[in-house]
């Protein structure tokens, strides 16, 4: 059964959505694509072990530590799920470009993919922060869009010590 809870992060309130097997969503309130394909108005607030693990992970993350992610449900098309998995491979404190992700996925998928297609999938990532889409930058290292707002992306990269890798 799906449950949702809120988390008060240093960058604003977040909504987390999970069932007993894994996390479906983590969104900053008011961000683009808030709630993804879920109608959050129909889902009860509550708690379960996955939400507890996710909030503990978030607290550790904002305190400078990043342990093992809670169980995740990747969603969307198989392509978007592959992008979400690739995002998880970008280490804390590092960034990757959309083209670098496209090149990685080409090897995994066995066919070419465009940086622009990666951008669409990254922008719709329903698992903000935990699946670190904020670590993706433009081909010249410039700060590019972030569904939670560029100021949050900059703050997350600063928290991780990666802001020196980005053109602000």
């Amino acid at each position: 059964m799906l449950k949702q809870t809120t988390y008060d992060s240093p960058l604003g309130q977040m909504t987390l959505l999970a069932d007993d097997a894994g996390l479906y969503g983590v969104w900053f309130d008011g961000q683009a694509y808030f709630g993804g394909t879920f109608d959050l108005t129909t889902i009860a607030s509550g708690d379960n072990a996955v939400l507890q693990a996710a909030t503990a992970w978030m607290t550790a993350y904002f305190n400078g530590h990043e342990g093992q992610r809670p169980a995740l449900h990747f969603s969307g098309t198989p392509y978007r799920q592959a992008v979400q998995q690739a995002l998880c491979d970008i280490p804390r404190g590092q960034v990757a470009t959309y083209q670098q992700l496209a090149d990685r996925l080409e090897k995994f998928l066995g066919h070419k993919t465009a940086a622009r297609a990666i951008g669409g999938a990254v922008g719709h990532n329903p698992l903000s922060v935990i699946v670190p889409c904020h670590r993706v930058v433009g081909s010249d290292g410039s700060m590019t869009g972030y569904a939670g707002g560029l100021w949050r992306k900059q703050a997350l990269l600063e928290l991780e010590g990666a802001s020196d890798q980005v053109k602000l």
Side-chain angles (χ1 to χ4, degrees):
M1 171 181 248
L2 287 172
K3 300 263 187 207
Q4 66 176 310
T5 193
T6 57
Y7 177 77
D8 291 320
S9 85
L11 301 178
Q13 190 171 53
M14 303 179 83
T15 299
L16 288 73
L17 178 69
D19 62 14
D20 291 333
L23 195 63
Y24 282 96
V26 179
W27 302 275
F28 286 104
D29 287 2
Q31 81 170 52
Y33 316 113
F34 180 82
T37 59
F38 296 95
D39 181 359
L40 297 178
T41 63
T42 65
I43 299 170
S45 293
D47 200 15
N48 62 31
V50 173
L51 289 170
Q52 290 171 6
T55 57
W57 188 95
M58 297 292 285
T59 298
Y61 172 84
F62 283 110
N63 285 312
H65 309 286
E66 191 170 324
Q68 183 169 343
R69 289 177 180 88
L72 303 174
H73 289 297
F74 292 135
S75 60
T77 65
Y79 180 80
R80 285 193 176 174
Q81 291 178 39
V83 171
Q84 291 167 22
Q85 181 61 56
L87 291 170
C88 289
D89 295 336
I90 305 170
R92 182 184 182 99
Q94 295 184 25
V95 297
T97 67
Y98 293 97
Q99 188 59 55
Q100 287 170 330
L101 285 176
D103 293 345
R104 287 183 201 165
L105 278 174
E106 180 179 341
K107 292 175 186 170
F108 174 75
L109 297 172
H111 60 79
K112 263 194 153 345
T113 187
R116 175 171 266 163
I118 296 288
V122 168
H124 285 83
N125 171 31
L127 294 157
S128 295
V129 182
I130 294 177
V131 173
C133 55
H134 60 275
R135 296 178 186 157
V136 182
V137 298
S139 60
D140 64 353
S142 63
M143 185 83 68
T144 55
Y146 182 64
L150 283 178
W151 70 273
R152 284 191 179 113
K153 182 174 186 165
Q154 181 176 347
L156 293 167
L157 292 173
E158 286 173 1
L159 173 72
E160 296 181 7
S163 60
D164 63 333
Q165 300 173 49
V166 181
K167 291 182 186 175
L168 302 176

